Amino acid sequence: MLDYLVRNACLPGENTLVDIAVGQGKIIEIATSLTGDAPVFEADGQLISCGFVESHLHLDKACILDRAKNKTGTLQGAISAVANAKSGFTEDDIYARGARVIEKAITEGTNAVRTHVEIDPGIGLAGFNAIKRLKADYVWAMDIEICVFPQEGLLNYPGTEELLREALDNGADLLGGCPYMDTDPEGQILRLFEMARDYDVDLDFHLDFDLDASWRHLDAVAKQAIAFGWQGRVMIGHVTKLSVLPKAQLDDTIALMRDAGIGLTVLPATDLFLTGRDHDHSVPHGVAPAHKLAAQGVCCTIATNNVLNPFTPYGDCSLSRMANLYANVSQLSTEAELETCFAMVADAPAKLLGRSSKIAVGEAASFIVLPAKSRAQVISEISRPIWGMKDGRVTFTHPAATIFHP
């Protein structure tokens, strides 16, 4: 029954090293000095953790810098560049670029992803069909959740709703929104909640992606979340407006989100790259203070968003790096603060995607080995995983560098 034995592993918060026995895709025993006739991996006292979970990614428009440039560096510039390039996308092209990103993410210790996929009459279901193929082909290493959404508007783009419904009929996992791109933002929000109710799926909005605190769509989303009884089933991404709120207004907003059961995903690389372009000095960073919301019980995650495209012209799919970037921007340094950052790329997004983040007997043998003694150290040093498995199958190795002394 024993398929694998991991020796001398460090579990988070534990002082004693343990061995972990793996069989039939599960953790079947955790103890000291285990024996058994099975392949052995020597952890050498390094940290064992659940894999990282990418809660907001765009596989369909990744790796397109060769064909799409954001000449202004703004959000609108990125949207326009991708809209122009999208007309040339094919299903096989999307599949190949998505596979490249997935394989990067695997070697960085990620074993679950929520990817947003654009749906509209211009692209049709090409992106959705490509990502469905990727979901099936990479299930051995990555669980992929597909969120279909109308990037270029819903009510103002006839035919989009019908395509979204077709995708939901054919295996899409949840529904996304982008109200600021619609001629009727609140109308889009309402229609998406109605569709979510029809299909009994969660919602994940791109929301309030600017620095003008005088207006926002968050209130409309919160109102509908309560009206439809969708508390705990709504995430909002970016929400850069939160970064400019005075403390009293931020506290009120946190209370509103908590009452409406709305979670927040921050996308540090994209938010830093696109926001504040109209400032020639004292440039605001535009990253929402997720750690403050998490401390008040709001579900908060940190994610990559885009890789090598007009929204984010860089990226290696390392969530330890992304969490470190967030910690740096937010000026976090204590053990507890860095632990929170780790939780926002592991525990919180795992729960969001319905996965367990526990390393315990009976749980799936899906974990990574990190060259660190604590989760905080992983974030402070941007530790890269050296080995990982999903459901008892080794999915990658990334050996530590070797130094050749004279």
Side-chain angles (χ1 to χ4, degrees), residues 186 189-194 196-197 201-205 207 217-236 256-263:
E186 294 197 12
I189 291 167
L190 175 59
R191 183 66 57 84
L192 290 171
F193 270 95
E194 291 170 343
R197 180 183 59 193
V201 295
D202 293 354
L203 287 162
D204 197 329
F205 289 90
L207 205 69
H217 296 136
L218 170 56
D219 300 281
V221 172
K223 174 185 174 183
Q224 299 299 354
I226 294 170
F228 280 80
W230 239 243
Q231 295 97 325
R233 303 188 65 177
V234 180
M235 290 294 289
I236 55 177
L256 171 69
M257 291 177 62
R258 192 173 57 238
D259 291 344
I262 296 173

Side-chain angles (χ1 to χ4, degrees), residues 36 132 223 322 340 343 396:
K132 271 189 71 177
K223 174 185 174 183
M322 198 60 64
T340 294
F396 74 94

Side-chain angles (χ1 to χ4, degrees), residues 50-130:
C50 64
F52 296 125
V53 178
E54 185 70 75
S55 57
H56 188 126
L57 191 64
H58 291 266
L59 290 173
D60 58 335
K61 57 190 180 190
C63 306
I64 57 170
L65 288 178
D66 60 332
R67 66 188 92 170
K69 303 294 184 183
N70 184 351
K71 295 180 180 179
T72 64
T74 63
L75 173 61
Q76 191 55 54
I79 292 171
S80 297
V82 172
N84 291 333
K86 198 164 61 175
S87 62
F89 289 3
T90 67
E91 184 176 323
D92 287 344
D93 164 54
I94 295 168
Y95 181 97
R97 290 185 285 102
R100 175 182 169 188
V101 173
I102 288 171
E103 292 186 4
K104 279 177 175 285
I106 291 169
T107 63
E108 295 293 347
T110 296
N111 59 24
V113 166
R114 171 179 289 182
T115 182
H116 293 253
V117 179
E118 296 186 19
I119 302 287
D120 58 55
I123 187 65
L125 296 178
F128 171 67
N129 290 332

